[in-house]
Amino acid sequence: MATHISYNLDYTEDSTWQVISATGFAKASLVYTTDIGNFYSRQNYFTDREGLNSFLVKLTLSGEGYLNYNNQSYILRPGQFFWIDCLCPQDYGTSKAYGSWHVIWLHFAGGASRAYYNLFQKNTGSEPVATLPLNSPVLNLIQELDELYASPREQLDKDIYASGLITQLMISLITASAASSENIPAVIQEIRSYLLTHYTEKITLAGLSAQFNLNQFYLQKQFKRYTGQSPTEYVIYLRLKHAKELMLTSQLSISEISYAVGIENTSHFTRQFKAQEGMTPQEFRRLWPVISDKRTRK
């Protein structure tokens, strides 16, 4: 099959892209990474391609993207991912109506990747898009792979370790596809998408009730039924998750991080953090010093 590609890499300077040169052993025997990235894409970002012998997973962290694949069109909102076979024609990019799309992504091939992909397709009825459940390890696995490739370890060592991480990633994606988002009422999906992009703002149950025209008791009960958390618990989870990311990747002070994730009282932030993590933010930061950004920038 002939390879075709056209693209416009319209993304910000803090985006990262690592092209990986896997060893011959990895290509012959393991599932391996070809490239990995974290793109803060602007409105003119797109890729139009077919004929590439690899698989692609893209997870939307914020903003909105689109995917055209197998003669179907999809909108990609926060918490949603796609997993596609890059041999097939595909066209994806930033949603023009939204203007930005923050995605973390991974190209991989080899090993049992096609067998896992076929299981994913079976679960979704050949749909490429699914929604991650709460507390899914997918984001952390991709970030761990990104950090692995930026490290000074020997390439074969990286390839062996990465093969295990990618296998965990594929299993997590298959698990997510089994819990199909089609079973979640559309309004609950809308509320979750809203919270994913507005969790740093002041969120109240009364405000959500008015915005989505739902009774407060019914909204809370249905949201917890389908997500396992109340809206308030979900907002706290998102804030503390972002706080941990900032502690791992920035030099911001604890009070600055607290404010950045929408908690203006640092003492309250510390109490919430300790309740979820079993340690204070200061203790967490001492365990995980800020990692220098050695990723390749393009």
Side-chain angles (χ1 to χ4, degrees):
M1 178 182 292
T3 300
H4 156 78
I5 184 168
S6 62
Y7 56 87
N8 183 20
L9 299 179
D10 182 22
Y11 50 61
T12 63
E13 291 182 357
D14 52 348
S15 299
T16 63
W17 182 11
Q18 296 190 82
V19 178
I20 312 303
S21 297
T23 60
F25 171 77
K27 290 181 179 179
S29 306
L30 305 175
V31 56
Y32 62 94
T33 304
T34 63
D35 54 327
I36 186 169
N38 185 354
F39 284 1
Y40 295 84
S41 306
R42 295 183 286 235
Q43 72 176 63
N44 294 318
Y45 167 77
F46 77 88
T47 296
D48 184 350
R49 173 177 51 211
E50 67 177 305
L52 183 64
N53 188 21
S54 70
F55 297 95
L56 173 62
V57 170
K58 274 187 181 280
L59 169 61
T60 300
L61 300 181
S62 64
E64 186 176 280
Y66 67 85
L67 169 69
N68 297 314
Y69 184 75
N70 284 342
N71 299 314
Q72 296 290 329
S73 297
Y74 306 88
I75 295 297
L76 301 155
R77 297 186 174 92
Q80 292 183 305
F81 69 92
F82 69 70
W83 183 359
I84 61 174
D85 180 352
C86 294
L87 287 171
C88 302
Q90 76 239 218
D91 169 18
Y92 55 84
T94 302
S95 171
K96 301 304 182 194
Y98 204 95
S100 65
W101 186 30
H102 180 195
V103 289
I104 191 166
W105 55 270
L106 174 73
H107 269 292
F108 59 94
S113 55
R114 184 160 296 279
Y116 282 104
Y117 175 74
N118 289 341
L119 284 174
F120 173 75
Q121 289 273 284
K122 182 179 179 181
N123 278 349
T124 64
S126 297
E127 292 291 309
V129 176
T131 301
L132 288 181
L134 297 177
N135 301 325
S136 168
V138 166
L139 174 59
N140 288 337
L141 286 167
I142 298 177
Q143 289 175 329
E144 189 172 353
L145 282 161
D146 202 17
E147 292 165 6
L148 170 68
Y149 290 119
S151 75
R153 296 168 67 169
E154 293 294 328
Q155 187 60 45
L156 179 58
D157 187 30
K158 291 180 184 180
D159 289 342
I160 293 170
Y161 190 72
S163 181
L165 291 177
I166 299 170
T167 300
Q168 292 179 56
L169 173 68
M170 292 189 291
I171 292 170
S172 298
L173 295 175
I174 291 167
T175 300
S177 68
S180 173
S181 63
E182 292 179 357
N183 297 322
I184 302 177
V187 68
I188 300 302
Q189 294 188 56
E190 290 174 11
I191 294 170
R192 182 166 65 175
S193 293
Y194 176 81
L195 294 178
L196 276 164
T197 55
H198 293 81
Y199 64 86
T200 61
E201 302 170 11
K202 184 176 181 179
I203 302 290
T204 65
L205 187 60
L208 290 175
S209 174
Q211 181 172 345
F212 292 94
N213 196 28
L214 290 175
N215 173 273
Q216 290 186 42
F217 176 77
Y218 178 82
L219 187 158
Q220 176 144 302
K221 182 179 180 181
Q222 292 299 99
F223 192 91
K224 188 159 189 175
R225 174 186 175 187
Y226 288 103
T227 70
Q229 293 176 297
S230 70
T232 299
E233 291 169 337
Y234 186 47
V235 168
I236 293 171
Y237 161 75
L238 292 173
R239 287 173 172 172
L240 298 185
K241 178 177 178 295
H242 186 204
K244 288 193 293 182
E245 292 171 356
L246 289 173
M247 280 187 270
L248 289 170
T249 60
S250 79
Q251 299 285 355
L252 293 175
S253 68
I254 298 301
S255 60
E256 288 172 326
I257 289 172
S258 174
Y259 188 83
V261 300
I263 304 175
E264 296 183 6
N265 186 307
T266 306
S267 297
H268 182 56
F269 169 71
T270 298
R271 288 193 297 271
Q272 287 190 332
F273 191 95
K274 187 171 184 179
Q276 178 172 294
E277 300 298 325
M279 65 182 75
T280 66
Q282 292 82 358
E283 290 168 335
F284 179 87
R285 177 161 262 178
R286 284 196 294 269
L287 284 174
W288 300 96
V290 175
I291 299 170
S292 298
D293 187 4
K294 299 178 181 177
R295 299 180 180 91
T296 301
R297 297 183 181 271
K298 296 217 177 225

